[in-house]
Amino acid sequence: MKNIKVKSSRRKFIANLAKIAALSSSVSTIKSFGFNSVNALQLPNFPNGIVPYLEKFENWSGEVKARALWTYAPKNSLEILQIVNWAKNNNYKVRPKGKMHNWSPLTIANGIDVSSRVILIDTKPYLNKVKIDKSQFPSKVTAETGISMENLLNALEEQDLGLTVTPAPGELTLGGVLAINGHGSAVAAANENSLSLGHSYGSLSNLIISLTAIVLDNESNKYILKKFERSEPNCQAFLVHLGRAFITEVTLQVGKNQRMRCQSIIGIPASEIFGKEEVSKFSFAKLVEKNGRVEAIWFPFTDKPWIKVWSVTDEQKPKASREVKSPYNYPFSDNLCDELAKMIKTIISGKTSITPQFGKLEYFITAGGLEYNQSFDIWGWSKNVLLYVKPSTLRVTESGYVVLTKRSNIQRVLNEFYTYYNYLIEKYRERSIYPINGPVEIRVTGLEESDDIINTSALPPLLSSLKKNSKYSEWDVGIWLNILTFPGTPYSNEFYMNIEQWIFANYSEPYAAVRVEWSKGWAFERNSVWKNKLFIENQISKSFYSEIAPVSDLELASAIYQKYDPYHIFSSPLIESLKI
Ligand SMILES: Cc1cc2nc3c(=O)[nH]c(=O)nc-3n(C[C@H](O)[C@H](O)[C@H](O)COP(=O)(O)OP(=O)(O)OC[C@H]3O[C@@H](n4cnc5c(N)ncnc54)[C@H](O)[C@@H]3O)c2cc1C
């Protein structure tokens, strides 16, 4: 799509209109967006020298779209301030935009147009500076939030630094990942001492030492930049904020880089990995106990999941491993083969009965791909084994929850999930309905341990799904449960609704509790997602409430946002529905 730049002065504005009129016969112009072009092109009194453009918004899964919204890629924070203050005076919302990989419509509601008075701030092109400070232990990195995770990790690697917790795709922006407590899959392995090297096992947000947010200054009634230290109580609401804030820069604690090995296992039955007892050395809990870092990808209607097991090694490459010097070492999962593409078309067209064959093909492609690419056992610097998903991977949607519990409950949690999931899938299959055509993905992380932040009286991220429940100090892990399917697969929302209800009913106190994974699907109804008001009011609110705290974390966070952004400039309908 062609961007149409519109200068703010009236003369240039009219000149632009003339240009657009001239263009309209030959190229796709604003007319094709289907709204009144004259109104659309007016952003009254827009700051001089800042030239927004109309651009399509489409999130990665294609479920949140807007044909054209005002967008601008600021060169620096001062330009953002100018836009935010303009937005305040003109009743606009400002929405930071990263790589648009979020499934939940936190940035914008689906289908809006310019009349919705939203301006998107694209952080990627310019807000990506990074500076590393190794002068003291622990080392720190200060980065602007538009930097991609891969570029951040590259910069760290050059200085012998790295992260234990990072999401699998490298293209996500730091700002986007922090907004939703982005995570990887890691708890401490037996005898591991990574904490002493400056690492942590919660979400990336728990590594924040300080951050700069855009907040209202009450005296001048203008939005300004304000730096928050991690020990400051109000900082707690900005560590994870779902887009109810604009963060321009953060300083993170980072640890010494590590050599890591990633071994894949594809021959062990799901019934053994997720079995009731930890009898097998391949039970999920045993693998976690030994190595700390495990992921299961279990394709539909197959019986042997793809298990990845990461382990920290010394400098010596294990004999059996292949050394990797760059990330994304599973190309078969990032590129569709023709056969798979054909089956996807068939499923999307509504012929879902081929789902069992589709699942089997996914499994065979994985098994063959691991062999062909010699990726069964890889070894290298942490980044090269922790980043393994490219945007070209299968475009699916997914539901996401995290079960908080004690580490000794991992196997029980997974066995119950495995048993119920099988039962539900079978119930649908009996009716010849196949709502789920993607894999189940399981990962385990630690919780947000503020003490991991060295030399600071750090407070926890209030809205993190991994925030500890003060009533259960013995809970120390988060077990992530994701179920993937193609967007729009018939009956998928109904299936998700059923399993969501079961998950929240089954994992209850004092054994466990559940929170939603903000970036993914939740609050399902029979035909919709993120719309179940009762679920939001009851389950989500309750999950951020502890009997021994005077006020819920959502309420506390909401009060902080109200103080610093009373005009709700940084908000969207989904965020409003959470009452923050
Ligand atoms: C294929 C795929 C794989 C994924 N894998 C993982 C994974 O392994 N682990 C994991 O935790 N997550 C994963 N995710 C989810 C992902 O981490 C989140 O969706 C994340 O928010 C995406 O970052 P982004 O740059 O695309 O942000 P966007 O989608 O552009 O934005 C997400 C939210 O962050 C806000 N935001 C962005 N920048 C800023 C800023 N500077 N200040 C304030 N708010 C801001 C936006 O307004 C929006 O509310 C995955 C997503 C996909 C599509």
Side-chain angles (χ1 to χ4, degrees):
M1 186 182 72
K2 196 169 175 67
N3 293 335
I4 302 163
K5 296 200 168 181
V6 184
K7 302 283 177 192
S8 56
S9 79
R10 183 153 178 79
R11 192 168 48 80
K12 284 183 180 150
F13 168 69
I14 290 166
N16 265 313
L17 270 185
K19 266 190 227 157
I20 288 160
L23 277 169
S24 62
S25 56
S26 57
V27 295
S28 162
T29 69
I30 196 161
K31 278 187 180 160
S32 65
F33 303 133
F35 49 75
N36 179 324
S37 62
V38 174
N39 286 340
L41 289 170
Q42 285 176 340
L43 285 180
N45 311 316
F46 207 73
N48 271 335
I50 296 183
V51 186
Y53 41 87
L54 286 164
E55 194 169 71
K56 179 177 167 184
F57 180 99
E58 182 170 346
N59 77 333
W60 177 81
S61 68
E63 291 167 289
V64 185
K65 290 185 195 169
R67 292 165 91 185
L69 291 179
W70 288 113
T71 306
Y72 184 66
K75 313 252 174 345
N76 51 51
S77 305
L78 294 181
E79 283 195 342
I80 311 178
L81 284 182
Q82 283 180 279
I83 295 173
V84 172
N85 282 307
W86 172 87
K88 171 177 78 69
N89 296 334
N90 290 277
N91 193 23
Y92 266 69
K93 301 277 179 215
V94 175
R95 307 303 302 131
K97 166 177 120 156
K99 191 67 186 167
M100 297 183 287
H101 266 45
N102 216 65
W103 279 277
S104 55
L106 290 172
T107 310
I108 56 161
N110 183 32
I112 63 168
D113 63 28
V114 276
S115 64
S116 304
R117 303 179 87 86
V118 163
I119 180 156
L120 291 164
I121 301 294
D122 187 350
T123 58
K124 295 183 297 299
Y126 302 107
L127 303 179
N128 44 33
K129 290 182 208 61
V130 58
K131 203 172 78 199
I132 291 171
D133 176 4
K134 284 183 80 177
S135 61
Q136 283 177 353
F137 177 81
S139 299
K140 297 174 192 167
V141 60
T142 299
E144 291 181 317
T145 48
I147 192 170
S148 71
M149 289 306 298
E150 187 170 347
N151 286 345
L152 177 68
L153 288 165
N154 277 330
L156 291 175
E157 191 180 276
E158 279 170 21
Q159 302 277 336
D160 193 28
L161 297 168
L163 294 172
T164 289
V165 285
T166 186
E171 296 209 15
L172 310 176
T173 63
L174 176 61
V177 171
L178 293 172
I180 49 82
N181 61 266
H183 65 95
S185 192
V187 294
N191 305 322
E192 184 183 335
N193 198 13
S194 298
L195 285 180
S196 67
L197 302 174
H199 291 278
S200 175
Y201 299 100
S203 79
L204 195 65
S205 297
N206 193 44
L207 290 173
I208 294 176
I209 296 174
S210 65
L211 58 84
T212 302
I214 297 180
V215 301
L216 187 77
D217 171 48
N218 282 323
E219 263 178 38
S220 62
N221 196 29
K222 283 196 173 144
Y223 281 81
I224 56 164
L225 294 172
K226 180 171 164 62
K227 186 171 176 184
F228 292 88
E229 295 297 332
R230 179 70 186 269
S231 52
E232 216 176 298
N234 289 328
C235 185
Q236 294 181 89
F238 293 99
L239 302 166
V240 174
H241 52 76
L242 319 180
R244 179 69 180 89
F246 200 133
I247 312 296
T248 57
E249 188 179 87
V250 293
T251 298
L252 304 174
Q253 171 179 306
V254 285
K256 184 175 163 20
N257 204 6
Q258 293 174 313
R259 290 289 200 175
M260 290 184 77
R261 180 182 195 182
C262 184
Q263 292 167 281
S264 287
I265 304 170
I266 50 160
I268 309 295
S271 55
E272 188 174 334
I273 292 162
F274 304 126
K276 201 166 190 169
E277 309 292 338
E278 295 173 33
V279 280
S280 161
K281 66 174 182 175
F282 292 109
S283 70
F284 201 95
K286 278 267 165 61
L287 292 170
V288 171
E289 186 185 313
K290 183 160 175 243
N291 306 284
R293 298 148 171 84
V294 185
E295 176 188 67
I297 298 186
W298 178 30
F299 298 111
F301 301 100
T302 62
D303 61 349
K304 294 186 182 114
W306 174 17
I307 303 288
K308 288 200 204 75
V309 180
W310 292 265
S311 47
V312 177
T313 73
D314 54 26
E315 278 300 309
Q316 200 68 31
K317 179 179 86 64
K319 268 205 181 108
S321 306
R322 175 172 72 88
E323 181 168 4
V324 289
K325 299 206 163 149
S326 55
Y328 315 115
N329 292 295
Y330 307 103
F332 53 88
S333 65
D334 288 326
N335 302 293
L336 291 189
C337 71
D338 290 350
E339 199 53 39
L340 209 58
K342 262 192 234 153
M343 286 184 112
I344 293 168
K345 264 195 190 156
T346 310
I347 290 175
I348 290 175
S349 75
K351 295 192 186 100
T352 54
S353 58
I354 62 160
T355 302
Q357 291 98 296
F358 179 69
K360 287 186 179 69
L361 182 61
E362 285 183 287
Y363 173 80
F364 283 121
I365 288 172
T366 302
L370 285 167
E371 185 70 43
Y372 180 78
N373 295 288
Q374 296 173 30
S375 300
F376 266 111
D377 185 349
I378 57 175
W379 176 87
W381 287 117
S382 58
K383 175 207 81 199
N384 299 333
V385 292
L386 292 177
L387 295 182
Y388 54 92
V389 170
K390 280 192 176 173
S392 55
T393 195
L394 268 186
R395 297 219 168 200
V396 284
T397 190
E398 57 185 279
S399 61
Y401 311 95
V402 59
V403 179
L404 312 182
T405 190
K406 293 192 284 203
R407 194 162 163 164
S408 55
N409 283 332
I410 291 176
Q411 197 64 20
R412 174 178 166 192
V413 166
L414 292 179
N415 178 256
E416 288 168 358
F417 176 74
Y418 165 74
T419 308
Y420 186 78
Y421 177 81
N422 269 336
Y423 157 80
L424 199 58
I425 281 282
E426 274 311 311
K427 258 184 78 172
Y428 275 81
R429 177 149 74 165
E430 281 164 16
R431 291 156 57 207
S432 304
I433 298 175
Y434 298 88
I436 301 299
N437 37 53
V440 165
E441 294 187 358
I442 311 277
R443 290 183 278 180
V444 177
T445 62
L447 302 185
E448 313 288 37
E449 303 284 355
S450 311
D451 291 348
D452 293 355
I453 302 307
I454 301 165
N455 300 335
T456 316
S457 323
L459 292 162
L462 278 178
L463 296 190
S464 172
S465 327
L466 291 174
K467 180 172 182 277
K468 290 194 79 136
N469 183 327
S470 36
K471 196 173 162 199
Y472 300 102
S473 55
E474 69 279 18
W475 290 359
D476 52 358
V477 293
I479 303 167
W480 300 87
L481 307 174
N482 297 127
I483 304 172
L484 287 63
T485 200
F486 292 125
T489 303
Y491 295 95
S492 55
N493 283 333
E494 182 193 292
F495 180 93
Y496 280 137
M497 179 188 76
N498 288 333
I499 205 153
E500 178 173 89
Q501 284 170 0
W502 176 83
I503 286 174
F504 273 80
N506 187 67
Y507 300 114
S508 58
E509 298 178 22
Y511 153 45
V514 189
R515 295 208 182 104
V516 299
E517 183 166 7
W518 294 119
S519 62
K520 299 183 177 164
W522 36 267
F524 287 93
E525 290 174 327
R526 204 164 289 279
N527 291 308
S528 69
V529 50
W530 305 297
K531 297 245 166 80
N532 186 335
K533 281 198 182 124
L534 277 180
F535 178 87
I536 292 174
E537 276 163 25
N538 298 329
Q539 261 75 353
I540 294 189
S541 304
K542 206 174 132 214
S543 72
F544 283 92
Y545 174 76
S546 165
E547 279 163 33
I548 59 174
V551 52
S552 90
D553 292 330
L554 273 168
E555 286 163 344
L556 192 51
S558 168
I560 296 171
Y561 301 134
Q562 191 58 30
K563 174 174 178 190
Y564 288 109
D565 178 22
Y567 294 98
H568 288 234
I569 302 285
F570 309 122
S571 194
S572 65
L574 181 60
I575 293 175
E576 293 293 323
S577 77
L578 294 165
K579 300 200 168 62
I580 56 171

